[in-house]
Amino acid sequence: MTEQKIRVGKRLLAAAEYVAVSSVKNSDGKKICADIGCDHGYLSIYLIEKGICDFVYASDINEKPVSIAKKNISARDTRGLGLSEKIDIRLGDGLAGLENNGINYVIICGMGGEVISGILERSRDFWKNGVNFILQPMSSELELRAWLSENGFCIDDEKLVRDSGRIYTVMSVSYTGEKYEYSQSELMLGQKNIQKGGELLFELCGRKLGHARNLLRQQEVSEEDKALERELSELLESLK
C-alpha cells in the first residue's frame, strides 16, 4: 500500500503544539488524546509520530474519512512505527463512547463554533480537572466563547494563525466551573489574542469592524451592535 503524505496545516500544528508544551498527564503518567472530527487522521498520526501523545482516540461521524484514516495508518505501519497499536479509529458522534479511557486532551478542530459547543454540551463526563480542550472553530467564534464563559470553561490561551489564506483562532480551554465575563470585542476576537496584539489581530479586527459597520447601515440596529462597533474602532486605533 502506498504511504500517503501527511499534510498538517498551521492550524492543526498549533493545536498539536498546545499538547506538546503541556506537562499535564493522566493518572498513569500518559498523554491520551481524543481527536474529534479526525478527518483523514493526519493530526492523530502527527501526534504519535512526533511523540507528543502516548495514545490517540480518533473519531469522526462520517464513514468515508474513518475508512481513509485507517488506510493512512495501515500504510505507515509498514515503517515499523506501530501506529495501529497507538491510534484507535472510531466511527462516532463527538466524544460518545470515549468515557473512562484516561483521556486528558480533547482536540476539536475544523468545525463551526456552535457545533463544537454542542459536542461539549453532550460530553459532561469530560468536564473535570486534568482534561485540556484544544478548540479550533471555523466560524461562530463569538458564540463559542460566549458558551464557554457561561458554562464554566476558562480560555487559558489563544493564538491566531494564518492557514491557506484565512486567519484562524486556536484556543486552549479548561473547565473550572466558574463563569467568566468578557466584552463584546473580547468575545469576537479573544481576550488573549487582544492582549498579545500583532499583525494578524490588526487584520482580523479590521475585517470584523468592517462587518460591524455594514450592520450599522441597516435598520433597527441593536445597542449591542453599536457598542461592539465602538469597541472594535477603539481597539483598531490602539493597534495602529
Side-chain angles (χ1 to χ4, degrees):
M1 184 180 294
T2 302
E3 180 181 311
Q4 297 295 312
K5 183 179 180 181
I6 298 301
R7 299 182 296 273
V8 182
K10 290 183 179 179
R11 62 187 178 87
L12 296 184
L13 288 175
E17 182 67 13
Y18 273 127
V19 183
V21 300
S22 173
S23 60
V24 175
K25 296 184 178 181
N26 65 13
S27 58
D28 294 325
K30 296 181 178 180
K31 289 185 177 183
I32 309 296
C33 180
D35 177 12
I36 305 303
C38 67
D39 197 32
H40 295 171
Y42 294 152
L43 177 59
S44 298
I45 291 170
Y46 181 86
L47 291 169
I48 294 299
E49 287 191 342
K50 297 298 182 182
I52 296 172
C53 290
D54 297 286
F55 195 90
V56 175
Y57 291 93
S59 171
D60 203 286
I61 198 170
N62 297 308
E63 291 184 8
K64 186 174 181 179
V66 167
S67 176
I68 294 173
K70 288 180 177 179
K71 290 177 181 178
N72 287 338
I73 290 169
S74 177
R76 297 180 79 80
D77 263 349
T78 60
R79 295 169 53 189
L81 296 173
L83 291 182
S84 59
E85 298 176 2
K86 298 179 180 180
I87 303 175
D88 184 345
I89 303 287
R90 298 188 177 197
L91 178 67
D93 181 8
L95 286 155
L98 294 177
E99 303 84 356
N100 304 315
N101 282 311
I103 292 169
N104 52 342
Y105 293 91
V106 175
I107 299 178
I108 311 177
C109 292
M111 304 180 197
E114 292 170 327
V115 175
I116 292 174
S117 62
I119 290 173
L120 295 177
E121 176 64 46
R122 299 190 298 274
S123 308
R124 289 177 175 262
D125 285 348
F126 291 86
W127 296 18
K128 56 189 176 183
N129 276 339
V131 178
N132 288 2
F133 300 86
I134 296 92
L135 313 176
Q136 184 272 300
M138 301 295 281
S139 61
S140 302
E141 295 93 339
L142 185 151
E143 289 79 6
L144 175 58
R145 292 189 185 96
W147 185 91
L148 292 169
S149 62
E150 280 294 312
N151 286 275
F153 287 85
C154 177
I155 301 175
D156 300 306
D157 193 39
E158 289 192 70
K159 63 181 71 171
L160 295 172
V161 296
R162 189 191 302 278
D163 195 347
S164 300
R166 288 186 59 184
I167 299 175
Y168 299 97
T169 285
V170 184
M171 58 183 75
S172 177
V173 175
S174 60
Y175 179 74
T176 65
E178 300 179 18
K179 291 189 177 182
Y180 297 86
E181 296 291 333
Y182 298 108
S183 68
Q184 283 297 105
S185 60
E186 287 173 337
L187 286 174
M188 178 164 282
L189 297 170
Q191 186 183 69
K192 299 296 184 181
N193 290 330
I194 292 174
Q195 291 171 356
K196 293 176 184 178
E199 292 182 5
L200 289 182
L201 177 66
F202 181 79
E203 181 179 336
L204 186 61
C205 183
R207 292 181 186 178
K208 299 294 187 182
L209 178 58
H211 179 67
R213 285 175 173 167
N214 285 335
L215 288 177
L216 290 180
R217 297 189 185 100
Q218 302 175 14
Q219 295 181 349
E220 300 181 4
V221 178
S222 69
E223 289 302 317
E224 190 175 75
D225 288 332
K226 294 178 183 178
L228 175 59
E229 192 274 340
R230 288 193 296 270
E231 283 186 36
L232 292 174
S233 295
E234 293 171 2
L235 176 59
L236 189 64
E237 188 63 31
S238 71
L239 291 170
K240 287 182 179 179

